[in-house]
Amino acid sequence: MPSVSKTIPALFNLTGKRALVTGSSRGLGLAFARALGGAGADVILNARDAGKAAQAAAVLQEDGISATVSAFDVADSAGVAAAVADIERDVGPIDILVNNAGIQHRAPLESFTDADWRRLMSINLDGVFVVSRAVVAGMIARRSGTIINIASVQSELARPSIAPYAASKGAIKMLTKAMAGDWGKYGIRVNAIGPGYFRTELNEALVNDKTFSEWLEKRTPLGRWGDPAELGGAVVFLASDAASFMTGQTIYIDGGITSVL
């Protein structure tokens, strides 16, 4: 429990903490890592492609952020367990886990193949369980830790052609609650962030689709796409002592899109 004598800025200080961010070689994952590193945490970037993760780490290091790399596939249980053991041995205990790795696959639900369904679920849902299970063992032993799962506005809202993705993100919202219930007795907090529509490489086709962008901007109370940097405050808050009595919650950073019809 944090000291009640801490000043407000001190509550958000992550100096001395280590944060593992999955799927963080680009996009929202890299933005999460940058924010945590900017608040003082030592960040461990993860991707399946070690080269891409190393390039991202070099960019953060140029900005004075302590960044290392751990390459593994979140859906590979044995690989995850080995990678987490290596991190805890060579880098140090993992204090913060951000489960960001995820994929999208758009197709009509009636023609979605078994293989595509299983691939999406293995990363978006199974991967959160697999990585959390590996990391939480050390957190339980230390009686402290913070897990932040990345949900989505699709945890609440569906759109045509992305039903499996919406199902995976709806499950993340409930898995977050269940993790909080199971692991709170060990001093571990588990929350989620639900991003709306952000300008990233993965959304480039949608950003460049004039019809979709116009619809989205009209649908969103703030009238625009989000910038990945705008997620930084939420991830730092949830990782820090400022959120010491908060667990099992999902915060939507979406320009208001989940609040209106």
Side-chain angles (χ1 to χ4, degrees):
M1 185 170 64
S3 169
V4 294
S5 64
K6 279 190 175 182
T7 64
I8 292 298
L11 286 173
F12 292 88
N13 191 335
L14 299 178
T15 300
K17 302 290 187 180
R18 277 164 295 278
L20 170 62
V21 185
T22 66
S24 51
S25 63
R26 61 177 181 168
L28 299 188
L30 183 56
F32 290 131
R34 181 182 294 279
L36 294 168
D42 299 324
V43 296
I44 302 112
L45 303 185
N46 156 259
R48 284 177 292 182
D49 187 322
K52 290 181 179 179
Q55 290 174 1
V59 171
L60 296 185
Q61 291 163 358
E62 289 176 359
D63 291 336
I65 292 172
S66 172
T68 55
V69 169
S70 179
F72 58 84
D73 182 343
V74 298
D76 175 5
S77 294
V80 168
V84 169
D86 288 346
I87 293 169
E88 296 254 339
R89 183 189 66 242
D90 300 334
V91 181
I94 299 169
D95 304 293
I96 302 158
L97 168 63
V98 180
N99 283 308
N100 170 76
I103 61 172
Q104 175 64 284
H105 183 89
R106 294 178 175 86
L109 184 57
E110 65 273 16
S111 61
F112 219 88
T113 68
D114 289 356
D116 287 337
W117 173 278
R118 290 171 183 144
R119 175 172 170 267
L120 187 147
M121 290 297 175
S122 72
I123 296 173
N124 290 10
L125 181 56
D126 298 354
V128 173
F129 163 68
V130 167
V131 178
S132 297
R133 181 181 60 185
V135 171
V136 81
M139 292 181 172
I140 289 172
R142 296 185 289 272
R143 292 298 192 271
S144 69
T146 301
I147 297 173
I148 303 167
N149 297 325
I150 305 307
S152 168
V153 292
Q154 266 73 54
S155 299
E156 301 290 344
L157 305 172
R159 289 188 60 249
S161 81
I162 61 167
Y165 180 85
S168 74
K169 291 301 185 178
I172 290 300
K173 181 180 74 170
M174 291 309 301
L175 183 59
T176 297
K177 291 177 180 289
M179 287 176 168
D182 276 10
W183 297 334
K185 62 187 176 184
Y186 302 115
I188 297 164
R189 296 185 298 103
V190 188
N191 293 290
I193 293 173
Y197 287 85
F198 284 78
R199 292 180 178 272
T200 66
E201 298 95 327
L202 291 178
N203 278 334
E204 186 174 1
L206 292 178
V207 172
N208 293 333
D209 183 330
K210 183 179 179 181
T211 300
F212 182 86
S213 277
E214 288 179 351
W215 170 84
L216 177 68
E217 289 165 2
K218 289 178 181 177
R219 175 72 174 75
T220 304
L222 290 184
R224 61 179 176 83
W225 287 80
D227 183 283
E230 293 178 291
L231 292 164
V235 76
V236 170
F237 166 65
L238 291 176
S240 74
D241 285 344
S244 60
F245 199 55
M246 184 174 179
T247 196
Q249 305 304 307
T250 299
I251 299 177
Y252 292 97
I253 313 296
D254 64 356
I257 200 168
T258 55
S259 300
V260 298
L261 290 173

